[in-house]
């Protein structure tokens, strides 16, 4: 085990956690798991998150201050944002293609879909400014008259869902913000307050870039001690990552055991949760798998060429498995930076600049999942979305993914915004709640893989990519 590569140790911990959680739920040990094992998973995420914030700050300051040509900053920043927007649009498009081809909503029982349709029409008629998108009216059809009362009761239950209500309020605040709010949120009013809130990562990035640029503008003699201090502090945090990752297999075991034990009390309940939303989950998974195993490797193969298909995954697999375990791009960021810099060969300047931005604004997996979820929810309510409405989904999901980094529960809040953009009931997000946690783990893998891909492409375009030979890797 001692000489086993890290990614294999993490896989073993992950699989062991899943097996243990199923056995413990079957034997009634769930409370023991939650009380004595799950806390170690929480500690692991906290360790990575508290390292991530200062690591982002000092990495960006060091990366910007280390640029030999200040004009390079603007060029690299523009390339980074364009690349992230392009991959996000591609992800949403992939999501729409798979959900329209496979029609997961059609696998729901037809009788249930009719009841869903009646609820949708009741909601549309009772909502100010609401309208039935496709113009059909099932409520007036005699054959469904006996189902209307049942639909009204179900509607009342949906409206009283507290979890949905909280996220709808957050979405409303997001929508009410002016068109320039994104830029306003970029600038911190108190950098120390921003440092204590991981949800304000964009503000930390802004301060880091601004501080680094100022180091470039002051005399070199005065800037040098600060740069040396920043580099030294950065090394300390990187060492912290290295030490924490030594225990990653155990922590991943605790994370997986805790996640599944919280989902249900018995293995049968876990299976039941997925059965109802199986078609939806499979379609989301296929779309995400396409991004990870086809789209990103294709970009690397076509534009970089020096990295083989298998080599790409070997180099970033520790970050991918950690992303699956933690469901957090920010928590995974220190490991992603280590993989991209040490295993792929991206320069420290590019790594320190591109990856923190990606962990904050790049949500390829989340955007794809939203596209699939919105169309699936429409299908299971017998609502046909036009091509124009689906184009609206692409635009809204892309813009929301960039502007939602500071929003808690960003994925579900973004989905509410997308549902409302095409005139659908935002309360429908409650339908996909049961499988959201496990799909969140999968879409975080996509987000992290996208970050690694874009940073590699930017490094290639800036001639700052020195790909290591496979034998030189130490995973």
């Amino acid at each position: 085990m001692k000489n086993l590569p890290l990614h294999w140790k993490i896989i073993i911990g992950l699989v062991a956690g899943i097996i243990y959680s199923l056995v413990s739920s079957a034997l009634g040990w769930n409370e023991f798991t939650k009380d004595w094992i799950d806390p170690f998973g929480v500690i692991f995420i906290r360790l990575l998150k508290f390292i991530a914030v200062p690591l982002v700050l000092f990495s960006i300051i060091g990366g910007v201050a280390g640029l030999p040509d200040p004009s390079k900053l603007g060029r690299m920043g523009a390339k980074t944002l364009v690349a992230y927007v392009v991959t996000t649009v591609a992800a949403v498009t992939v999501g729409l293609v798979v959900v329209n081809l496979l029609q997961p909503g059609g696998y729901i029982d037809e009788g249930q879909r009719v009841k869903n349709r009646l609820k949708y029409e009741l909601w549309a008629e009772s909502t100010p400014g609401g309208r039935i998108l496709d113009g059909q009216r099932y409520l007036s059809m005699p054959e469904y008259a006996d189902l209307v009362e049942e639909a009204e009761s179900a509607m009342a239950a949906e409206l009283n869902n507290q979890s949905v209500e909280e996220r709808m309020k957050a979405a409303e605040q997001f929508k009410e913000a002016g068109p320039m709010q994104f830029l306003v949120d970029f600038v911190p009013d108190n950098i120390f307050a921003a440092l204590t809130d991981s949800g304000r990562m964009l503000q930390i990035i802004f301060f880091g870039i601004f501080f680094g640029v100022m180091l470039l503008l002051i005399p070199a003699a005065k800037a040098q001690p600060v740069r040396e201090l920043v580099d030294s502090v950065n090394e300390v945090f990187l060492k912290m990552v290295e030490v924490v990752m030594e225990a990653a297999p155990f922590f991943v075991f605790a994370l997986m055991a805790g996640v599944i034990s919280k989902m249900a009390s018995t293995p049968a309940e876990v299976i039941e949760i997925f059965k109802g939303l199986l078609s939806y989950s499979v379609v989301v998974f296929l779309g995400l798998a396409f991004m990870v195993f086809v789209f990103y490797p294709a970009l690397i193969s076509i534009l970089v060429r020096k990295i083989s298909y298998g080599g790409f995954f070997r180099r970033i697999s520790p970050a991918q498995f950690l992303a699956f375990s933690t469901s957090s791009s920010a928590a995974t960021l220190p490991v992603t930076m280590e993989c991209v810099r040490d295993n792929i060969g991206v320069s420290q300047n590019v790594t320190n600049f591109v990856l923190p931005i990606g962990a904050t604004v790049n949500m390829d997996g989340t955007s794809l999942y939203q596209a699939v979820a919105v169309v699936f929810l429409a299908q299971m309510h017998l609502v046909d979305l036009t091509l124009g409405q689906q184009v609206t989904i692409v635009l809204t999901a892309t813009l929301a993914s960039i502007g939602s980094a500071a929003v808690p529960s960003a994925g579900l809040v973004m989905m509410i915004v997308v549902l409302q953009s095409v005139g659908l009931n935002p309360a429908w997000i409650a339908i996909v709640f049961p499988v959201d946690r496990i799909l969140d783990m999968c879409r975080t893998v996509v987000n992290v893989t996208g970050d690694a891909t874009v940073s590699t492409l930017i490094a290639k375009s800036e001639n700052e990519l020195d790909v290591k030979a496979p034998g030189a890797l130490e995973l």
Side-chain angles (χ1 to χ4, degrees):
M1 281 288 285
K2 190 175 180 182
N3 296 321
L4 205 61
L6 177 62
H7 64 282
W8 282 113
K9 292 179 183 177
I10 293 174
I11 292 173
I12 291 169
L14 193 149
V15 173
I18 294 171
I19 293 171
Y20 166 83
S21 62
L22 293 174
V23 171
S24 72
S25 61
L27 297 176
W29 297 349
N30 267 15
E31 287 306 312
F32 172 82
T33 302
K34 290 176 191 174
D35 291 342
W36 297 97
I37 296 179
D38 180 57
F40 289 101
V42 176
I43 289 168
F44 183 46
I45 293 178
R46 287 192 175 193
L47 281 170
L48 291 171
K49 280 190 172 179
F50 95 68
I51 293 171
V53 173
L55 182 62
V56 166
L57 177 62
F58 289 106
S59 292
I60 285 189
I61 292 173
V64 172
L67 290 174
D69 178 10
S71 65
K72 190 174 183 178
L73 177 64
R75 185 176 69 242
M76 194 158 67
K79 285 181 182 178
T80 300
L81 290 176
V82 168
Y84 283 136
V85 169
V86 168
T87 58
T88 300
V89 171
V92 178
T93 305
V94 167
L96 289 177
V97 169
V98 293
V99 76
N100 280 291
L101 282 177
L102 301 177
Q103 297 279 325
Y107 291 91
I108 307 294
D109 176 70
E110 190 66 22
Q112 183 59 52
R113 292 177 77 196
V114 171
K115 292 176 187 175
N116 292 342
R117 171 70 190 208
L118 294 172
K119 284 193 293 178
Y120 160 67
E121 291 184 12
L122 288 167
W123 169 82
E125 290 185 349
S126 63
T127 303
R131 64 183 182 86
I132 298 171
L133 294 182
D134 52 18
Q136 297 183 50
R137 199 169 186 279
Y138 282 53
L139 285 170
S140 59
M141 296 180 184
E143 61 267 36
Y144 303 132
D146 56 332
L147 297 175
V148 174
E149 191 175 332
E150 190 179 331
E152 287 173 344
S153 301
M155 266 293 298
E158 278 184 13
L159 292 172
N160 292 327
N161 189 314
Q162 190 66 33
S163 298
V164 173
E165 198 175 317
E166 289 170 5
R167 287 172 173 84
M168 284 175 68
K169 284 178 183 174
E172 206 54 45
Q173 290 172 356
F174 177 77
K175 284 176 64 186
E176 285 174 3
M180 299 298 287
Q181 188 62 40
F182 173 68
L183 288 179
V184 173
D185 289 341
F186 219 110
V187 182
D189 53 1
N190 183 333
I191 185 57
F192 297 103
L195 286 168
T196 60
D197 183 357
S198 60
R200 296 166 70 175
M201 192 71 83
L202 279 175
Q203 296 182 356
I204 297 167
I205 291 170
F206 173 84
F207 177 80
I209 293 171
F210 193 47
F211 194 99
V213 170
M214 294 307 103
L215 283 177
L216 289 171
L217 297 180
I218 64 175
K222 293 186 177 180
Q224 191 58 31
V226 180
R227 289 176 57 179
E228 288 177 358
L229 174 65
V230 167
D231 289 342
S232 298
V233 173
N234 207 28
E235 285 300 316
V236 172
F237 282 108
L238 288 172
K239 191 65 181 177
M240 284 184 184
V241 176
E242 198 177 309
V243 170
V244 170
M245 287 305 291
E246 289 295 319
F250 167 73
F251 282 131
V252 167
F253 166 83
L255 263 175
M256 292 308 301
V259 165
I260 297 177
S261 67
K262 288 174 186 173
M263 284 177 65
S265 301
T266 66
E269 285 180 20
V270 175
I271 293 167
E272 198 58 40
I273 285 172
F274 284 99
K275 243 168 53 177
L277 293 168
L278 180 62
S279 60
Y280 159 72
S281 303
V282 167
V283 171
V284 173
F285 182 77
L286 288 175
L288 297 175
F290 178 87
M291 294 297 293
V292 171
F293 296 109
V294 179
F295 182 74
Y296 296 129
L299 288 179
I300 294 292
S301 298
I302 294 167
L303 300 176
V304 179
R305 297 181 185 174
K306 295 179 181 178
I307 303 174
S308 68
Y309 182 87
F312 175 64
F313 291 107
R314 279 196 299 276
R315 293 165 200 262
I316 65 167
S317 56
Q320 289 178 315
F321 289 120
L322 199 58
F324 183 80
S325 305
T326 62
S327 300
S328 171
S329 298
T332 311
L333 179 60
V335 180
T336 310
M337 293 174 77
E338 195 173 41
C339 289
V340 166
R341 186 188 62 244
D342 298 341
N343 299 338
I344 293 181
V346 174
S347 73
Q348 185 152 330
N349 284 342
V350 174
T351 298
N352 292 354
F353 181 79
V354 176
L355 284 178
I357 295 174
T360 309
V361 303
N362 179 42
M363 296 189 182
D364 291 353
T366 306
S367 300
L368 182 149
Y369 137 86
Q370 286 164 4
V372 174
V374 170
V375 178
F376 164 75
L377 290 168
Q379 289 171 355
M380 70 178 292
H381 287 79
L382 291 171
V383 179
D384 272 334
L385 295 177
T386 64
L387 179 61
Q389 288 159 346
Q390 297 201 28
V391 170
T392 301
I393 291 173
V394 174
L395 296 174
T396 310
T398 302
L399 294 173
S401 71
I402 295 169
S404 69
V407 180
S409 304
L412 290 169
V413 172
M414 284 162 60
M415 193 189 296
I416 289 174
V417 174
V418 177
L419 281 166
Q420 290 178 328
S421 73
V422 288
L424 297 174
N425 186 353
W428 289 353
I429 63 165
I431 295 170
V432 295
F433 273 171
V435 292
D436 184 71
R437 183 66 175 84
I438 195 74
L439 292 178
D440 190 20
M441 297 161 80
C442 297
R443 60 185 185 252
T444 306
V445 175
V446 175
N447 294 343
V448 167
T449 308
D451 294 344
T453 301
V454 169
S455 63
T456 305
L457 298 180
I458 299 298
K460 170 70 175 174
S461 72
E462 294 289 330
N463 294 317
E464 295 201 30
L465 179 65
D466 181 19
V467 178
K468 287 188 174 184
L473 296 180
E474 293 182 7
L475 294 180

